[in-house]
Amino acid sequence: MIDFSRYVSKDFFTNSTEWVAKNLIGKLFVRKIDGQYVAAKIVEAEAYLSENDLASHSAPGLTRRNRAMFAEGGCIYVYKIYGIHHCVNIVTEQKNKGCAVLLRSGEPMVGFELLKKLRGDVGNEKLLSGPGNFARGFNFKLPDNLKKLFTDELFVQEFENPADEEIGISERIGVAKSKELKLRFYLKGSKFVSGSPKD
């Protein structure tokens, strides 16, 4: 159930990026699309840091593409990869830091029919599995860049708080640089997680 009184506060997003990535697991990500809500439990997320992280888009410094990463925590950073897929990130920490959390996968909770319309008629486990599919299911495009997470149209809601032992930590998926950093967090045993390991 969506409860507007349970928005995650702005302060949540200004914590360290690793902390935010871990603590997003189990939260609901909610967006209103054409007057209808779509919501998913976040089950997989990756942290991208402002320092000593060559895989982060902010590593080269401020650019036109990555400028959202340098905003204050609590907005979204949307970008396109391979000229086809969009990805959505939650910006973290303080203004001018350059860090964010990539939302990799979610378990659909609300708006199944709209999700299938946006994603195609695939199984529920695949609707929001993988960052490109997650962004497509929530209909994110480049003009959504820098939108705030504190409106009736877009927000994160308290939902579940998994114990530490229920959250897995691994290296990130599909990065060529800083591969050794264990900054991927996922809900252990969830069939909605996109990559391995899952347990």
Side-chain angles (χ1 to χ4, degrees):
M1 178 182 293
I2 297 173
D3 181 353
F4 292 112
S5 68
R6 301 182 69 205
Y7 282 9
V8 170
S9 71
K10 185 176 183 179
D11 291 344
F12 176 93
F13 301 108
T14 57
N15 283 288
S16 76
T17 305
E18 289 181 70
W19 184 93
V20 174
K22 180 179 179 181
N23 285 275
L24 278 171
I25 304 302
K27 301 286 190 294
L28 280 188
F29 190 82
V30 186
R31 188 180 194 192
K32 184 183 281 187
I33 304 171
D34 296 330
Q36 180 180 340
Y37 279 111
V38 173
K41 180 171 70 174
I42 299 169
V43 298
E44 185 181 4
E46 290 178 340
Y48 286 85
L49 310 181
S50 61
E51 298 176 347
N52 303 313
D53 183 358
L54 297 177
S56 176
H57 283 188
S58 65
L62 178 65
T63 67
R64 182 176 179 181
R65 184 195 192 202
N66 70 19
R67 63 191 175 94
M69 290 187 75
F70 292 86
E72 185 178 18
C75 66
I76 60 171
Y77 168 41
V78 181
Y79 62 87
K80 186 177 274 191
I81 56 172
Y82 312 125
I84 303 171
H85 304 294
H86 292 86
C87 293
V88 60
N89 303 254
I90 293 178
V91 178
T92 55
E93 302 191 35
Q94 301 300 321
K95 188 175 180 179
N96 297 321
K97 282 296 294 290
C99 37
V101 175
L102 173 65
L103 300 178
R104 284 198 57 89
S105 290
E107 178 180 346
M109 304 295 291
V110 174
F112 286 89
E113 290 185 8
L114 182 53
L115 278 172
K116 288 183 179 292
K117 180 180 178 181
L118 291 166
R119 276 280 292 115
D121 191 14
V122 299
N124 289 344
E125 295 175 21
K126 299 295 184 183
L127 281 173
L128 300 173
S129 181
N133 293 330
F134 190 99
R136 189 179 299 112
F138 279 93
N139 201 33
F140 282 116
K141 304 287 177 58
L142 293 180
D144 295 312
N145 200 34
L146 283 166
K147 282 190 174 179
K148 302 291 186 182
L149 285 163
F150 312 110
T151 72
D152 288 349
E153 307 293 321
L154 182 65
F155 59 95
V156 175
Q157 179 186 315
E158 294 286 357
F159 189 59
E160 294 178 356
N161 292 294
D164 286 348
E165 58 267 23
E166 296 178 285
I167 298 176
I169 304 173
S170 77
E171 297 174 357
R172 294 171 296 191
I173 296 173
V175 297
K177 300 177 180 179
S178 298
K179 292 178 66 174
E180 74 283 358
L181 299 179
K182 293 188 175 182
L183 295 172
R184 171 178 172 256
F185 300 86
Y186 60 95
L187 187 62
K188 289 182 178 179
S190 172
K191 58 188 178 181
F192 299 91
V193 170
S194 68
S196 295
K198 297 186 178 184
D199 300 317

